[in-house]
Amino acid sequence: MRLLADRVGHRYGTTEVLRDIGIAIGGGEIVCIVGPSGCGKSTLLRMLGGLEQASEGRVLLEGEPPAGSLNPITYIFQDFALLPWRTVEGNIRLVLEDHKLGATAMRAIVDDVLERTRLKDFRAALPRQLSGGMKQRVAIARALAVRPAVMLMDEPLSALDAQTRELLMDDLVELWTRERFSACYVTHNLAEAVRLGHRVHVLSRRPGRIRETVEIDMPLAERAERAAELEAMQRHIWLVMREEARAADRELADAG
Amino acid sequence: MALTRRQLGAGAAAGAAFGIVRNARAASEKVAIGILPLVSHAPTIIAAARGYFAAQGLDAKLVTFQAAEPMAVGIASGDIDFGVTAITGGLVSLADKGAVKIIGGSLAEKKGVDGQKVVASNAAYAKGLTDIAGLRGKSYAVTTAGSSFEYVAYKAAQKAGFPASDITYRPLQTIPACIAAVKTGQVDAWDMLPSIIAILLHDKAAHVIAAVQDFIPDYQVTTVFTSTRNIDKRAEVVKRFLAGFSRGIDDYDAALVAKTMAPKEVDAIVAEIHKYVFAGMPLAKARPHITNGVMHVNKGAALNVASVADQLAWLNANKLVPAGSTMKKLVDTSFVKTF
Amino acid sequence: MPDEASGPAPARAVAVREVPFRGGGFRPRTNSYVSWAVFAGLILLWEAGSRLGLISPIALPAPSQVLGALVDLARTGMLWKNLSVSLMRLGTGWVLGSILGIAVGLAIGLFTIARAALMQLTSALFAVPKIALLPLFIVWFGIGESSKIATILFGTFFPAVIATYSGVDNVDRNLIRMGQSFGLSWGSIVRKIILPGALPAILSGLRISSAIAIVLLVAAEMIGAQYGIGAYILQAGSLFAIDQLIAGVTILAVLGLLISWVIARAERRFLDWRS
C-alpha cells in the first residue's frame, strides 16, 4: 500500500502555506520532510493522515492495506499524546478497544508490542512517571499495536534532549531493520533526516514547495558508523535550506 | 493635699461644665425609630413629619426595616431606640435576656373598626372551608413557628372547640410566599391585615371566612418597645417619645380611621405616609392601598396587658420562648395607660 | 600539588565567609496539630469570654450553650429527624442538579448548536438569585418536597454546567486528534478522552456546587418545611434562640467539611494521574 500526495496545496484564509506537493510514501521506506519553520510540513503530515483537508489536490491511497492492519495510517505526535490518566498498558489498549478483538487477542498484541519496544517492566506505570524518551517509546508501541501500513511521525524527537534523541534514533533504526515499516518523518533537525531517511524532501519557505529531493542510498544500520559521509550530505541539505530558512526567519520577524 | 484639693475642684468644675453641655444637648436628643413600610406604622411617620417629636425636643430619625426581627435585634443592640412590632417569640426571647421591653400598645382589634381577617383559598372554600370550625384538619400558612399567625390559628381552634394541633402549620417565612401559597391553593387558610386581604379579594384569589376580632376581641396586635437601657438611663426620653407618638396616633385616627379630619389635611398626611409606604407606586395608585383597610391604633399608646399576657402564655405553653419568660421581664407598665 | 587533588580550599590570606542562605520560606505547610490547637484555643477563649460577661449573650451564646442545644437536639431525636430530611433534599437536589448540569455542560462542550443556544442563557440564569424566585417556586413546584429539591437543583445545576463545558474546552486538543488519528469512534473519544480530561474541572465544580447546595438548604427550607436543619435555623432565628441558631449553623459547617472531605477523597482516587 502506498500513500500519495497529488499536487496538494493549502491555504489558511489568504495565506498560502503549501503549493503543488507531490510525494509518495510506501514500500518500507522512510521519507523525511525537512524545511524552515512555518513551511507547512506539519500541515502536510496532517493532510496525509486525514486530520486536515487540503484546499487543492488530493491525498490518495494506492492498493489495499495489508491484512490485519487495524489502522493503516498511524500518527506519532511530537508531544506523545498519551492519556495521562491511563497506564502504559491502558494507553495501548485504548487504540485496540474499538476493534472488538477479544481479551486474549488484545492481551497478546499488548504483550507483543511491549516486548518489541522493551517496555514490559513499565506496563503499569503512568505517563507522569516516565521520562520523555520512555513516553515516546510508549507512543511508538501504541502505534505498532494497530499494525500500521504507513507511520506519520510529526517531529517525534523534538521534545527530547540530545542524548535521548540519539538513543531513540538507534531504537528507531533497529525497529525499522526488524519491521521494515513505511513512514513519513517530518523534522527540522537535519541530523535526524540523514540518519533515518531513505529520501529527504526539502521544502521551501512559505508557501512550501519541494525545493529538492535527496536520495540517501546507504543502509540505515550502517549510518551510525559512516558519520563523515552523512555529515557531507547534511551539509548539502543545509546549503539548500539555508537561504530559505534565513528568508523565512526574516519574514516571521516582519510579520510579528 | 492642697494640690489634690485643687485637682478635685478642677474636676468638679469640669463636671459642672459637662452637666451644662448635657442639658443643652438634651434639648434636642437624637433618637432612631424603626418602622416597617406598612400603614400600621403611619403614626410614627406622621409624628415625625409633623414635628411632634421635635416639639418634644427629640431629633428623630426613621429607619426602615423589611422585617420585624432585625428591627428587634437593632433595638437590643442599641442602634435603634424605639420600634413597633408584633409580639413574637424572638421579641420575648430578647426581653428574657434583659435587652428590650414593651412600653406601650399600638395596633389592636376593635369592634366597629376594620381588622384582620382569616381567609380560605378558593379550592378549600369550594370544599367547604367556610368558617373557623372548618379549619380542623386543614393547612394554615404561617411565616415562622411562634409567629402571630400561629397564635391566631390557635385562638380560632380554641373558639371552634378543637385542639390547635389538628391544624397543620406551613412555615413560609415571608408574606409574599404566604400570598403565593394561598393563591395557588397550596395552603387552605391564612390570616392577614385588611389592606392585603383586600388585594387578595380584588384578585378573587381567596374568601374571607372570619374576622379575627370575632374570636380574639381587643387583640393587641403590635406593641411599642424600646431597650431596657433606654428605660433605665433615658426614661425621660422614652416619655417624650411616647408623647410625640401619641399625637401621631391622634392624627392617624382622625385622618384614616374616624375620618374626622378635613380632606385637605388628610391628603397631606397620605402624601407623608406615601414617602415610606407603597413608595414604589404613584401616589394616586397608592392612595386607596393606604386609606382602605386601616386598623385601630390604641389612643395614647395604651396597652392591653391581658392580651399580651394571653399571647405570652401561649408562647410559653408551646415552648417557643425560653422557659420562665414572665410578663415582668417583657412589659414595663409605667409609661402608658394599661387595661 | 597535593592540595589541588583534594578540591578547592579557601585561600588562607583572604577573608573567607559562607554565602548566606537566601532561599526558603514562601512554602506554608499545613500542620493539623497547630490548626486543632488554634481551634480549641479559640473555643476556650470564647467560653471564657462568655462566662466572664465580656461577650454579651445577645451577641454570641457560650460554646457550652451551643453544645447544650446540640445535646437537646440529639436527645429529643430531632437531630436525626431534621438531618435526615435535609440530607434527602441536599442529596437529591445536588445529585440531580449535577447530573443534569454535567449533561448540559457536555452538550455545550461538544455541539455547536447547544453551545450557541445555551451558553449565554446559562451565564444569565446562573446570576439570578434563586432565593428571589421563592414565591414563584411555590407556584411552580408547590410547597412539598419538589420545590425544596428544585431550589437546590437550580442552584447546583449552573455551576456544574459551567465547570463541565469549560473542562471540556480545556481538554488537550492534541489528545482528541490522537483519538481521531487512531480511528476511535465518537463515543469512545467522548468517554475515554474528553470526560476523563474534563474530570478535574468537573470535580472542582462539584466541590463548589456542594457548598452552594448547603447555602441553599436554608433558602429551600424557607418554603413550608416543618423539619430540616435549615428550617431549624430559621425558626431559631425568628425566636432569637441564638444557641440553637449557632448549633444549626455548626451542623451545616460540619456537613460542609464532610462533603469536602468526600470530594477530596474522590479527587485523590480519580485524579491520581496528576503529578
PDB file of all heavy atoms in Angstrom, chain B residues 69 73 89-90 93-94 97 99 144-145 170-173 177 180 184 186 320, chain C residues 57-58 135 138-139 142-143 221-226 234-235 237-240:
ATOM      1  N   GLU B  69     -38.029  41.197  62.788  1.00  0.00           N
ATOM      2  CA  GLU B  69     -36.933  40.581  63.546  1.00  0.00           C
ATOM      3  C   GLU B  69     -35.675  41.435  63.616  1.00  0.00           C
ATOM      4  O   GLU B  69     -35.173  41.710  64.707  1.00  0.00           O
ATOM      5  CB  GLU B  69     -36.524  39.266  62.884  1.00  0.00           C
ATOM      6  CG  GLU B  69     -37.296  38.096  63.326  1.00  0.00           C
ATOM      7  CD  GLU B  69     -37.040  36.967  62.348  1.00  0.00           C
ATOM      8  OE1 GLU B  69     -35.866  36.774  61.978  1.00  0.00           O
ATOM      9  OE2 GLU B  69     -38.010  36.333  61.938  1.00  0.00           O
ATOM     10  N   VAL B  73     -33.742  43.156  66.910  1.00  0.00           N
ATOM     11  CA  VAL B  73     -32.323  42.960  67.230  1.00  0.00           C
ATOM     12  C   VAL B  73     -31.602  44.300  67.240  1.00  0.00           C
ATOM     13  O   VAL B  73     -30.735  44.548  68.079  1.00  0.00           O
ATOM     14  CB  VAL B  73     -31.677  41.983  66.218  1.00  0.00           C
ATOM     15  CG1 VAL B  73     -30.194  41.842  66.520  1.00  0.00           C
ATOM     16  CG2 VAL B  73     -32.367  40.634  66.281  1.00  0.00           C
ATOM     17  N   GLY B  89     -41.943  35.257  69.310  1.00  0.00           N
ATOM     18  CA  GLY B  89     -41.012  34.503  70.143  1.00  0.00           C
ATOM     19  C   GLY B  89     -39.675  35.213  70.237  1.00  0.00           C
ATOM     20  O   GLY B  89     -39.043  35.234  71.290  1.00  0.00           O
ATOM     21  N   GLY B  90     -39.247  35.800  69.111  1.00  0.00           N
ATOM     22  CA  GLY B  90     -37.962  36.489  69.088  1.00  0.00           C
ATOM     23  C   GLY B  90     -37.937  37.666  70.044  1.00  0.00           C
ATOM     24  O   GLY B  90     -36.968  37.859  70.786  1.00  0.00           O
ATOM     25  N   SER B  93     -37.889  36.495  73.582  1.00  0.00           N
ATOM     26  CA  SER B  93     -36.578  35.942  73.897  1.00  0.00           C
ATOM     27  C   SER B  93     -35.581  37.057  74.209  1.00  0.00           C
ATOM     28  O   SER B  93     -34.779  36.952  75.144  1.00  0.00           O
ATOM     29  CB  SER B  93     -36.126  35.094  72.714  1.00  0.00           C
ATOM     30  OG  SER B  93     -34.860  34.577  72.927  1.00  0.00           O
ATOM     31  N   LEU B  94     -35.640  38.121  73.433  1.00  0.00           N
ATOM     32  CA  LEU B  94     -34.760  39.270  73.694  1.00  0.00           C
ATOM     33  C   LEU B  94     -35.108  39.929  75.031  1.00  0.00           C
ATOM     34  O   LEU B  94     -34.221  40.368  75.760  1.00  0.00           O
ATOM     35  CB  LEU B  94     -34.876  40.291  72.561  1.00  0.00           C
ATOM     36  CG  LEU B  94     -34.125  39.944  71.272  1.00  0.00           C
ATOM     37  CD1 LEU B  94     -34.529  40.886  70.153  1.00  0.00           C
ATOM     38  CD2 LEU B  94     -32.621  40.024  71.508  1.00  0.00           C
ATOM     39  N   LYS B  97     -33.696  38.002  77.834  1.00  0.00           N
ATOM     40  CA  LYS B  97     -32.261  38.246  78.008  1.00  0.00           C
ATOM     41  C   LYS B  97     -32.010  39.626  78.602  1.00  0.00           C
ATOM     42  O   LYS B  97     -30.859  40.037  78.763  1.00  0.00           O
ATOM     43  CB  LYS B  97     -31.544  38.126  76.662  1.00  0.00           C
ATOM     44  CG  LYS B  97     -31.485  36.696  76.146  1.00  0.00           C
ATOM     45  CD  LYS B  97     -30.704  36.627  74.847  1.00  0.00           C
ATOM     46  CE  LYS B  97     -30.405  35.183  74.437  1.00  0.00           C
ATOM     47  NZ  LYS B  97     -31.592  34.435  73.976  1.00  0.00           N
ATOM     48  N   ALA B  99     -32.833  42.599  77.284  1.00  0.00           N
ATOM     49  CA  ALA B  99     -32.382  43.594  76.313  1.00  0.00           C
ATOM     50  C   ALA B  99     -33.477  44.586  75.935  1.00  0.00           C
ATOM     51  O   ALA B  99     -33.190  45.760  75.722  1.00  0.00           O
ATOM     52  CB  ALA B  99     -31.860  42.891  75.061  1.00  0.00           C
ATOM     53  N   THR B 144     -43.298  32.027  60.491  1.00  0.00           N
ATOM     54  CA  THR B 144     -42.399  31.125  61.210  1.00  0.00           C
ATOM     55  C   THR B 144     -43.147  30.571  62.413  1.00  0.00           C
ATOM     56  O   THR B 144     -44.191  31.083  62.804  1.00  0.00           O
ATOM     57  CB  THR B 144     -41.155  31.868  61.736  1.00  0.00           C
ATOM     58  OG1 THR B 144     -41.610  32.947  62.538  1.00  0.00           O
ATOM     59  CG2 THR B 144     -40.298  32.381  60.606  1.00  0.00           C
ATOM     60  N   ALA B 145     -42.571  29.512  62.983  1.00  0.00           N
ATOM     61  CA  ALA B 145     -43.137  28.972  64.213  1.00  0.00           C
ATOM     62  C   ALA B 145     -43.104  30.066  65.268  1.00  0.00           C
ATOM     63  O   ALA B 145     -42.142  30.819  65.357  1.00  0.00           O
ATOM     64  CB  ALA B 145     -42.328  27.767  64.665  1.00  0.00           C
ATOM     65  N   ARG B 170     -47.852  25.619  57.982  1.00  0.00           N
ATOM     66  CA  ARG B 170     -46.849  25.605  56.914  1.00  0.00           C
ATOM     67  C   ARG B 170     -45.985  26.860  57.010  1.00  0.00           C
ATOM     68  O   ARG B 170     -46.407  27.935  56.579  1.00  0.00           O
ATOM     69  CB  ARG B 170     -47.531  25.591  55.549  1.00  0.00           C
ATOM     70  CG  ARG B 170     -48.322  24.345  55.293  1.00  0.00           C
ATOM     71  CD  ARG B 170     -47.589  23.455  54.312  1.00  0.00           C
ATOM     72  NE  ARG B 170     -48.371  22.282  54.007  1.00  0.00           N
ATOM     73  CZ  ARG B 170     -48.132  21.091  54.548  1.00  0.00           C
ATOM     74  NH1 ARG B 170     -47.140  20.918  55.392  1.00  0.00           N
ATOM     75  NH2 ARG B 170     -48.881  20.059  54.230  1.00  0.00           N
ATOM     76  N   PRO B 171     -44.792  26.754  57.580  1.00  0.00           N
ATOM     77  CA  PRO B 171     -43.944  27.945  57.684  1.00  0.00           C
ATOM     78  C   PRO B 171     -43.406  28.375  56.320  1.00  0.00           C
ATOM     79  O   PRO B 171     -42.716  27.618  55.643  1.00  0.00           O
ATOM     80  CB  PRO B 171     -42.794  27.508  58.603  1.00  0.00           C
ATOM     81  CG  PRO B 171     -42.856  26.039  58.691  1.00  0.00           C
ATOM     82  CD  PRO B 171     -44.160  25.567  58.152  1.00  0.00           C
ATOM     83  N   LEU B 172     -43.722  29.571  55.894  1.00  0.00           N
ATOM     84  CA  LEU B 172     -43.321  30.037  54.548  1.00  0.00           C
ATOM     85  C   LEU B 172     -42.435  31.277  54.610  1.00  0.00           C
ATOM     86  O   LEU B 172     -42.075  31.831  53.578  1.00  0.00           O
ATOM     87  CB  LEU B 172     -44.568  30.311  53.708  1.00  0.00           C
ATOM     88  CG  LEU B 172     -45.442  29.071  53.447  1.00  0.00           C
ATOM     89  CD1 LEU B 172     -46.799  29.475  52.882  1.00  0.00           C
ATOM     90  CD2 LEU B 172     -44.762  28.110  52.513  1.00  0.00           C
ATOM     91  N   GLN B 173     -42.068  31.696  55.800  1.00  0.00           N
ATOM     92  CA  GLN B 173     -41.091  32.767  56.037  1.00  0.00           C
ATOM     93  C   GLN B 173     -41.533  34.169  55.650  1.00  0.00           C
ATOM     94  O   GLN B 173     -41.377  35.092  56.426  1.00  0.00           O
ATOM     95  CB  GLN B 173     -39.746  32.484  55.337  1.00  0.00           C
ATOM     96  CG  GLN B 173     -39.184  31.118  55.600  1.00  0.00           C
ATOM     97  CD  GLN B 173     -38.967  30.841  57.081  1.00  0.00           C
ATOM     98  OE1 GLN B 173     -38.661  31.726  57.836  1.00  0.00           O
ATOM     99  NE2 GLN B 173     -39.167  29.601  57.493  1.00  0.00           N
ATOM    100  N   ALA B 177     -44.577  34.841  50.042  1.00  0.00           N
ATOM    101  CA  ALA B 177     -44.664  33.386  49.901  1.00  0.00           C
ATOM    102  C   ALA B 177     -46.015  32.886  50.394  1.00  0.00           C
ATOM    103  O   ALA B 177     -46.631  32.006  49.777  1.00  0.00           O
ATOM    104  CB  ALA B 177     -43.534  32.708  50.670  1.00  0.00           C
ATOM    105  N   ALA B 180     -48.567  33.685  47.758  1.00  0.00           N
ATOM    106  CA  ALA B 180     -48.458  32.760  46.631  1.00  0.00           C
ATOM    107  C   ALA B 180     -49.086  31.413  46.976  1.00  0.00           C
ATOM    108  O   ALA B 180     -49.784  30.806  46.162  1.00  0.00           O
ATOM    109  CB  ALA B 180     -46.992  32.576  46.237  1.00  0.00           C
ATOM    110  N   THR B 184     -52.454  29.810  45.065  1.00  0.00           N
ATOM    111  CA  THR B 184     -52.386  28.561  44.312  1.00  0.00           C
ATOM    112  C   THR B 184     -53.040  27.400  45.051  1.00  0.00           C
ATOM    113  O   THR B 184     -52.989  26.267  44.598  1.00  0.00           O
ATOM    114  CB  THR B 184     -50.920  28.197  44.017  1.00  0.00           C
ATOM    115  OG1 THR B 184     -50.188  28.248  45.242  1.00  0.00           O
ATOM    116  CG2 THR B 184     -50.301  29.164  43.022  1.00  0.00           C
ATOM    117  N   GLN B 186     -52.201  25.970  47.789  1.00  0.00           N
ATOM    118  CA  GLN B 186     -51.294  25.004  48.401  1.00  0.00           C
ATOM    119  C   GLN B 186     -51.410  24.999  49.916  1.00  0.00           C
ATOM    120  O   GLN B 186     -50.956  24.063  50.559  1.00  0.00           O
ATOM    121  CB  GLN B 186     -49.873  25.320  47.987  1.00  0.00           C
ATOM    122  CG  GLN B 186     -49.834  25.481  46.490  1.00  0.00           C
ATOM    123  CD  GLN B 186     -48.533  25.047  45.936  1.00  0.00           C
ATOM    124  OE1 GLN B 186     -47.937  24.113  46.428  1.00  0.00           O
ATOM    125  NE2 GLN B 186     -48.099  25.706  44.903  1.00  0.00           N
ATOM    126  N   LEU B 320     -41.950  28.066  72.859  1.00  0.00           N
ATOM    127  CA  LEU B 320     -41.376  28.855  71.779  1.00  0.00           C
ATOM    128  C   LEU B 320     -40.499  29.971  72.335  1.00  0.00           C
ATOM    129  O   LEU B 320     -39.883  30.720  71.576  1.00  0.00           O
ATOM    130  CB  LEU B 320     -42.485  29.448  70.912  1.00  0.00           C
ATOM    131  CG  LEU B 320     -43.271  28.389  70.132  1.00  0.00           C
ATOM    132  CD1 LEU B 320     -44.577  28.956  69.623  1.00  0.00           C
ATOM    133  CD2 LEU B 320     -42.451  27.835  68.992  1.00  0.00           C
TER     134      LEU B 320
ATOM    135  N   PRO C  57     -24.538  37.877  75.894  1.00  0.00           N
ATOM    136  CA  PRO C  57     -25.315  36.719  75.435  1.00  0.00           C
ATOM    137  C   PRO C  57     -26.195  37.054  74.229  1.00  0.00           C
ATOM    138  O   PRO C  57     -26.694  36.153  73.567  1.00  0.00           O
ATOM    139  CB  PRO C  57     -26.149  36.344  76.663  1.00  0.00           C
ATOM    140  CG  PRO C  57     -26.148  37.570  77.520  1.00  0.00           C
ATOM    141  CD  PRO C  57     -24.860  38.269  77.267  1.00  0.00           C
ATOM    142  N   ILE C  58     -26.376  38.352  73.956  1.00  0.00           N
ATOM    143  CA  ILE C  58     -27.156  38.715  72.762  1.00  0.00           C
ATOM    144  C   ILE C  58     -26.282  38.628  71.519  1.00  0.00           C
ATOM    145  O   ILE C  58     -26.731  38.293  70.438  1.00  0.00           O
ATOM    146  CB  ILE C  58     -27.737  40.133  72.934  1.00  0.00           C
ATOM    147  CG1 ILE C  58     -28.804  40.098  74.012  1.00  0.00           C
ATOM    148  CG2 ILE C  58     -28.348  40.637  71.632  1.00  0.00           C
ATOM    149  CD1 ILE C  58     -29.253  41.460  74.449  1.00  0.00           C
ATOM    150  N   PRO C 135     -41.206  32.793  45.867  1.00  0.00           N
ATOM    151  CA  PRO C 135     -42.659  32.794  45.699  1.00  0.00           C
ATOM    152  C   PRO C 135     -43.091  32.117  44.397  1.00  0.00           C
ATOM    153  O   PRO C 135     -44.098  31.398  44.363  1.00  0.00           O
ATOM    154  CB  PRO C 135     -43.018  34.288  45.684  1.00  0.00           C
ATOM    155  CG  PRO C 135     -41.904  34.954  46.408  1.00  0.00           C
ATOM    156  CD  PRO C 135     -40.682  34.142  46.098  1.00  0.00           C
ATOM    157  N   ILE C 138     -42.987  28.390  44.614  1.00  0.00           N
ATOM    158  CA  ILE C 138     -44.164  27.831  45.280  1.00  0.00           C
ATOM    159  C   ILE C 138     -45.253  27.572  44.253  1.00  0.00           C
ATOM    160  O   ILE C 138     -45.901  26.532  44.248  1.00  0.00           O
ATOM    161  CB  ILE C 138     -44.662  28.796  46.377  1.00  0.00           C
ATOM    162  CG1 ILE C 138     -43.629  28.845  47.502  1.00  0.00           C
ATOM    163  CG2 ILE C 138     -46.020  28.372  46.904  1.00  0.00           C
ATOM    164  CD1 ILE C 138     -43.925  29.874  48.563  1.00  0.00           C
ATOM    165  N   VAL C 139     -45.418  28.541  43.327  1.00  0.00           N
ATOM    166  CA  VAL C 139     -46.456  28.385  42.304  1.00  0.00           C
ATOM    167  C   VAL C 139     -46.084  27.237  41.360  1.00  0.00           C
ATOM    168  O   VAL C 139     -46.917  26.419  40.976  1.00  0.00           O
ATOM    169  CB  VAL C 139     -46.629  29.701  41.518  1.00  0.00           C
ATOM    170  CG1 VAL C 139     -47.646  29.533  40.408  1.00  0.00           C
ATOM    171  CG2 VAL C 139     -47.055  30.816  42.461  1.00  0.00           C
ATOM    172  N   GLY C 142     -45.086  23.904  44.074  1.00  0.00           N
ATOM    173  CA  GLY C 142     -45.831  23.607  45.280  1.00  0.00           C
ATOM    174  C   GLY C 142     -44.982  23.827  46.519  1.00  0.00           C
ATOM    175  O   GLY C 142     -43.849  24.281  46.459  1.00  0.00           O
ATOM    176  N   ILE C 143     -45.568  23.482  47.701  1.00  0.00           N
ATOM    177  CA  ILE C 143     -44.805  23.695  48.920  1.00  0.00           C
ATOM    178  C   ILE C 143     -44.340  22.370  49.495  1.00  0.00           C
ATOM    179  O   ILE C 143     -43.886  22.288  50.616  1.00  0.00           O
ATOM    180  CB  ILE C 143     -45.620  24.477  49.975  1.00  0.00           C
ATOM    181  CG1 ILE C 143     -46.947  23.783  50.228  1.00  0.00           C
ATOM    182  CG2 ILE C 143     -45.853  25.897  49.543  1.00  0.00           C
ATOM    183  CD1 ILE C 143     -47.720  24.407  51.372  1.00  0.00           C
ATOM    184  N   GLU C 221     -35.537  25.473  52.619  1.00  0.00           N
ATOM    185  CA  GLU C 221     -36.414  25.109  53.734  1.00  0.00           C
ATOM    186  C   GLU C 221     -37.190  26.325  54.265  1.00  0.00           C
ATOM    187  O   GLU C 221     -37.869  26.244  55.274  1.00  0.00           O
ATOM    188  CB  GLU C 221     -35.600  24.398  54.824  1.00  0.00           C
ATOM    189  CG  GLU C 221     -35.152  23.030  54.297  1.00  0.00           C
ATOM    190  CD  GLU C 221     -34.371  22.189  55.295  1.00  0.00           C
ATOM    191  OE1 GLU C 221     -33.984  22.732  56.339  1.00  0.00           O
ATOM    192  OE2 GLU C 221     -34.173  21.001  55.007  1.00  0.00           O
ATOM    193  N   MET C 222     -37.091  27.442  53.542  1.00  0.00           N
ATOM    194  CA  MET C 222     -37.989  28.567  53.834  1.00  0.00           C
ATOM    195  C   MET C 222     -39.398  28.238  53.369  1.00  0.00           C
ATOM    196  O   MET C 222     -40.355  28.856  53.772  1.00  0.00           O
ATOM    197  CB  MET C 222     -37.503  29.836  53.120  1.00  0.00           C
ATOM    198  CG  MET C 222     -36.283  30.468  53.774  1.00  0.00           C
ATOM    199  SD  MET C 222     -35.655  31.855  52.825  1.00  0.00           S
ATOM    200  CE  MET C 222     -36.756  33.158  53.402  1.00  0.00           C
ATOM    201  N   ILE C 223     -39.507  27.292  52.426  1.00  0.00           N
ATOM    202  CA  ILE C 223     -40.815  27.009  51.841  1.00  0.00           C
ATOM    203  C   ILE C 223     -41.480  25.851  52.570  1.00  0.00           C
ATOM    204  O   ILE C 223     -41.196  24.693  52.308  1.00  0.00           O
ATOM    205  CB  ILE C 223     -40.685  26.615  50.358  1.00  0.00           C
ATOM    206  CG1 ILE C 223     -39.695  27.532  49.639  1.00  0.00           C
ATOM    207  CG2 ILE C 223     -42.027  26.663  49.677  1.00  0.00           C
ATOM    208  CD1 ILE C 223     -39.322  27.024  48.270  1.00  0.00           C
ATOM    209  N   GLY C 224     -42.355  26.208  53.511  1.00  0.00           N
ATOM    210  CA  GLY C 224     -43.208  25.200  54.126  1.00  0.00           C
ATOM    211  C   GLY C 224     -42.499  23.981  54.676  1.00  0.00           C
ATOM    212  O   GLY C 224     -43.017  22.882  54.567  1.00  0.00           O
ATOM    213  N   ALA C 225     -41.317  24.143  55.247  1.00  0.00           N
ATOM    214  CA  ALA C 225     -40.634  22.988  55.809  1.00  0.00           C
ATOM    215  C   ALA C 225     -40.858  22.957  57.308  1.00  0.00           C
ATOM    216  O   ALA C 225     -40.614  23.933  58.002  1.00  0.00           O
ATOM    217  CB  ALA C 225     -39.142  23.057  55.513  1.00  0.00           C
ATOM    218  N   GLN C 226     -41.358  21.816  57.829  1.00  0.00           N
ATOM    219  CA  GLN C 226     -41.538  21.709  59.265  1.00  0.00           C
ATOM    220  C   GLN C 226     -40.263  21.190  59.913  1.00  0.00           C
ATOM    221  O   GLN C 226     -39.929  21.545  61.020  1.00  0.00           O
ATOM    222  CB  GLN C 226     -42.696  20.772  59.571  1.00  0.00           C
ATOM    223  CG  GLN C 226     -43.776  21.503  60.346  1.00  0.00           C
ATOM    224  CD  GLN C 226     -45.050  20.724  60.415  1.00  0.00           C
ATOM    225  OE1 GLN C 226     -45.384  19.957  59.510  1.00  0.00           O
ATOM    226  NE2 GLN C 226     -45.772  20.910  61.494  1.00  0.00           N
ATOM    227  N   LEU C 234     -33.881  28.631  60.752  1.00  0.00           N
ATOM    228  CA  LEU C 234     -34.808  29.743  60.516  1.00  0.00           C
ATOM    229  C   LEU C 234     -35.680  29.985  61.741  1.00  0.00           C
ATOM    230  O   LEU C 234     -35.890  31.120  62.156  1.00  0.00           O
ATOM    231  CB  LEU C 234     -35.688  29.421  59.298  1.00  0.00           C
ATOM    232  CG  LEU C 234     -35.001  29.546  57.948  1.00  0.00           C
ATOM    233  CD1 LEU C 234     -35.837  28.877  56.876  1.00  0.00           C
ATOM    234  CD2 LEU C 234     -34.774  31.014  57.633  1.00  0.00           C
ATOM    235  N   GLN C 235     -36.170  28.864  62.299  1.00  0.00           N
ATOM    236  CA  GLN C 235     -37.032  29.014  63.466  1.00  0.00           C
ATOM    237  C   GLN C 235     -36.233  29.588  64.638  1.00  0.00           C
ATOM    238  O   GLN C 235     -36.700  30.489  65.330  1.00  0.00           O
ATOM    239  CB  GLN C 235     -37.639  27.662  63.837  1.00  0.00           C
ATOM    240  CG  GLN C 235     -38.570  27.798  65.034  1.00  0.00           C
ATOM    241  CD  GLN C 235     -39.272  26.493  65.344  1.00  0.00           C
ATOM    242  OE1 GLN C 235     -39.454  25.657  64.466  1.00  0.00           O
ATOM    243  NE2 GLN C 235     -39.668  26.319  66.589  1.00  0.00           N
ATOM    244  N   GLY C 237     -33.750  31.512  64.442  1.00  0.00           N
ATOM    245  CA  GLY C 237     -33.532  32.927  64.154  1.00  0.00           C
ATOM    246  C   GLY C 237     -34.749  33.755  64.522  1.00  0.00           C
ATOM    247  O   GLY C 237     -34.641  34.802  65.150  1.00  0.00           O
ATOM    248  N   SER C 238     -35.936  33.251  64.136  1.00  0.00           N
ATOM    249  CA  SER C 238     -37.134  34.056  64.367  1.00  0.00           C
ATOM    250  C   SER C 238     -37.498  34.076  65.840  1.00  0.00           C
ATOM    251  O   SER C 238     -38.173  34.985  66.304  1.00  0.00           O
ATOM    252  CB  SER C 238     -38.291  33.538  63.522  1.00  0.00           C
ATOM    253  OG  SER C 238     -38.695  32.274  63.992  1.00  0.00           O
ATOM    254  N   LEU C 239     -37.084  33.070  66.589  1.00  0.00           N
ATOM    255  CA  LEU C 239     -37.348  33.069  68.033  1.00  0.00           C
ATOM    256  C   LEU C 239     -36.195  33.703  68.799  1.00  0.00           C
ATOM    257  O   LEU C 239     -36.206  33.754  70.013  1.00  0.00           O
ATOM    258  CB  LEU C 239     -37.570  31.642  68.537  1.00  0.00           C
ATOM    259  CG  LEU C 239     -38.770  30.908  67.956  1.00  0.00           C
ATOM    260  CD1 LEU C 239     -38.844  29.504  68.498  1.00  0.00           C
ATOM    261  CD2 LEU C 239     -40.061  31.664  68.247  1.00  0.00           C
ATOM    262  N   PHE C 240     -35.183  34.143  68.069  1.00  0.00           N
ATOM    263  CA  PHE C 240     -33.958  34.667  68.648  1.00  0.00           C
ATOM    264  C   PHE C 240     -33.354  33.704  69.659  1.00  0.00           C
ATOM    265  O   PHE C 240     -32.839  34.099  70.693  1.00  0.00           O
ATOM    266  CB  PHE C 240     -34.153  36.052  69.270  1.00  0.00           C
ATOM    267  CG  PHE C 240     -32.886  36.850  69.225  1.00  0.00           C
ATOM    268  CD1 PHE C 240     -32.469  37.408  68.026  1.00  0.00           C
ATOM    269  CD2 PHE C 240     -32.074  36.982  70.339  1.00  0.00           C
ATOM    270  CE1 PHE C 240     -31.277  38.093  67.966  1.00  0.00           C
ATOM    271  CE2 PHE C 240     -30.871  37.669  70.268  1.00  0.00           C
ATOM    272  CZ  PHE C 240     -30.473  38.227  69.084  1.00  0.00           C
TER     273      PHE C 240
END
